Amino acid sequence: MPERRATMPPPSDIVKVAIEWPGANAQLIEIDQKKPLSSIIREVCEGWSLSGSEQFALRYADGPQLYITEQSRGEIKNGTILRLAISPTRAARQLLDRIQSHGIDARLEALKELAKLSADPTFATEFINMEGIGTLARLVESGTHFGEMLAFTLTAFLELMDHGIVSWDLISLSFIKQIAGYVNQPMVDVSILQRSLAILESMVLNSHSLYHRVAQEITVGQLIGHLQVSNQEIQTYAIALINALFLKAPEDRRQEMATTLAQKHLRSIILNHVIRGNRPIKAEMAHQLYVLQVLTFNLLEERMMTKMDPTDQSQRDIVFELRRIAFDGENDPIGTEKRKAMYTKDYKMLGFINHVNPALDFTQTPPGMLALDNMLYLAKLHQDTYIRIVLENSSREDKHECPFGRCAIELTRMLCEILQVGELPNEGCNDYHPMFFTHDRAWEEFFCVCIQLLNKTWKEMRATTEDFNKVMQVVREQITRALAMKPSSLEQLKSKLRSLNYSEILRLRQSERMSQDDFQSAPIIELRERIQPEILELIKQQRLNRLCEGSCFRKLGNRRRQEKFWFCRLSLNHKVLHYGDLDESPQGEVPFELLTDKIPVSDIKSVVTGKDCPHMKEKSALKQNKEVLELAFSILYDPDEALNFVAPSKYEYCIWTDGLCALLGREMGSDLTRSDLDTLISMEMKLRLLDLENITIPEAPPPVPKEPSSYNFTYNYG
């Protein structure tokens, strides 16, 4: 008996699967993962009396139907349905011959199959090695393909290039011209236009030399025209290409491109046809709007990092202009001679730190010259507001004056931090603000609103110069709270900031502090400790219920908008995790029957997050992306496998990591759990203490009363 056990492979190396072949009964076999894949395929072929086993391969029967290789065979699970198919080499050769055949129907079917198979990296490698990409490029360049045939050709080309096997630099100029021609045509099939825009975006993002060629072929006017259609997918691809051209443009060209986009009214077209359109904004469109917002604000980086040169007369003239507008009126030209002492007094009233030479106030970066630009914009375009702020503070003698210059400089620095000016867009972030698309000078107008808020808050706090940092902290809180409400216009921002006055901030802080601290007396602490296990169990059940409902996750790839989706949910008995690939993001719950893969909860070893996740270690690009890193987690299960996740939001990340920890009997430690626990405990305690309002709770328990003289008493419940 011991010898027999020694010859048997361990259970983890045996996988029970079903294998299909057209026109034959499926084979139910046990795959020994230690045996070569070629031996397993030979045995399967013998079971159906098929010769030439080297001409065959195994593929998944469901989902993307990928080929199984020695590298990927470890992903096969018990109960998986596989399919015997012709080998990727043979399939690539056959399709290459068929797409060059004379029969139109045969060629169309071949291209349709090629478009589907090209997503498989094993097949793609074989097809590319046979010069398949060159063949597809020549088919496009010939200009003889139209409609469905062209759409399938472009799809296959894009999928093959996306594997990163072939450099984009090898693409010919004639191919680029042909693809650009489809984008520039006034009437072209939607599927062809969609793929053409995606191909051009990939060219720009993946090749510096192709950026220049694409930029020469594509006009901004044509791209903006695609934003005025009703198809949001086309709008998304068009904005993505604009973003790619913007991102890869040389620094000296970006400002020029921004000017061109402004002349073509890009902002107002996006506002009217996308943001205020009749359709809800999808996640990918929100991401592209966010990227455009970031790239637009990044144009400010050069001014933000430029120090003022105190010896430069043209720069000093801007400071003179600020003084003139505030104190001299329209009729007094800049060159008017005044005593130096008078200038010094004026600069002090303007709130500069360096009264003698205020140019020195702008030598720190950030905000550098950007602060001076903001101040000049306010002084020229909102002159009444500027003069009112300066004069009402310069005339005060009670040390409560708000120093305009110092405040404007610090406020500009703060706004740069809040809006992350100079930082690259984060993958997966959708945090765009509609109000920044409502004005051509949105940044400057935003500053003008915020400087008025600062002046108002300073007065409400009755602040002095010593309170400067405290005021700035309150103003930062007011701005960030207002932005979190996503105001749709600058007027709505003003309304929300009016409601977030200093008294309201104090009330919110007090409320949050109360909800965090509660009362610290011994009975309250004891009650809290008694309630906490019940609340934790309630949170645990909510997390597990959410896992049973399931969530959709994105598969991150090289081309963001061409990604596939997958769905994962927990079985109702909490014993199995079901998951599987989807073609598109689902609208609602996905049935268990569509989720072909599963992991028993009992096989899960642990849950890891962030940089400890296997897929974060593999993808160096993602590893550097803080936002993606914060949303990544993996399930490690037997024997040495991992199921990798990147949550669509911080909320989903907390739900899933909490739920998985609860399944494993571990502590739920997410920020969401702490927040929910504090909120629910606070509510429960307030309910239980409702009748004790305005009653002082003693630190020590009351004394036990004396025993009664007699126990001869009863309760009558009748």
Side-chain angles (χ1 to χ4, degrees), residues 535-546:
I535 302 299
L536 280 172
E537 183 61 28
L538 184 67
I539 294 172
K540 175 183 172 183
Q541 290 305 317
Q542 187 270 341
R543 300 294 193 262
L544 294 176
N545 289 341
R546 278 286 290 106

Side-chain angles (χ1 to χ4, degrees), residues 150-288:
L150 179 57
F152 288 133
T153 304
L154 296 178
T155 301
F157 178 85
L158 195 52
E159 290 286 358
L160 290 166
M161 291 299 296
D162 195 40
H163 292 291
I165 301 170
V166 178
S167 171
W168 282 92
D169 289 317
L170 300 176
I171 302 302
S172 68
L173 182 59
S174 59
F175 180 85
I176 297 171
K177 286 180 177 292
Q178 192 68 37
I179 297 297
Y182 299 135
V183 173
N184 292 331
Q185 282 179 19
M187 297 293 290
V188 68
D189 185 80
V190 169
S191 57
I192 294 171
L193 176 58
Q194 197 176 62
R195 288 155 180 78
S196 299
L197 288 167
I199 289 172
L200 292 173
E201 183 199 359
S202 293
M203 287 179 181
V204 172
L205 292 176
N206 290 288
S207 170
H208 179 70
S209 61
L210 290 188
Y211 157 77
H212 294 285
R213 294 180 181 178
V214 173
Q216 289 172 356
E217 298 296 329
I218 294 295
T219 65
V220 172
Q222 285 290 346
L223 290 178
I224 290 179
H226 293 310
L227 298 177
Q228 296 170 284
V229 299
S230 58
N231 187 322
Q232 190 173 119
E233 294 296 320
I234 295 297
Q235 292 176 324
T236 304
Y237 280 83
I239 294 179
L241 180 52
I242 290 172
N243 285 338
L245 290 167
F246 215 145
L247 185 64
K248 293 299 180 178
E251 288 189 16
D252 57 337
R253 284 284 317 279
R254 285 180 193 166
Q255 193 62 55
E256 179 186 331
M257 185 176 174
T259 304
T260 304
L261 293 173
Q263 291 171 349
K264 297 289 184 180
H265 308 293
L266 173 67
R267 179 199 58 76
S268 60
I269 289 171
I270 289 176
L271 180 67
N272 295 322
H273 293 272
V274 179
I275 296 174
R276 293 179 179 172
N278 296 324
R279 299 167 306 283
I281 301 292
K282 294 182 180 178
E284 181 51 32
M285 174 60 87
H287 173 72
Q288 295 301 338

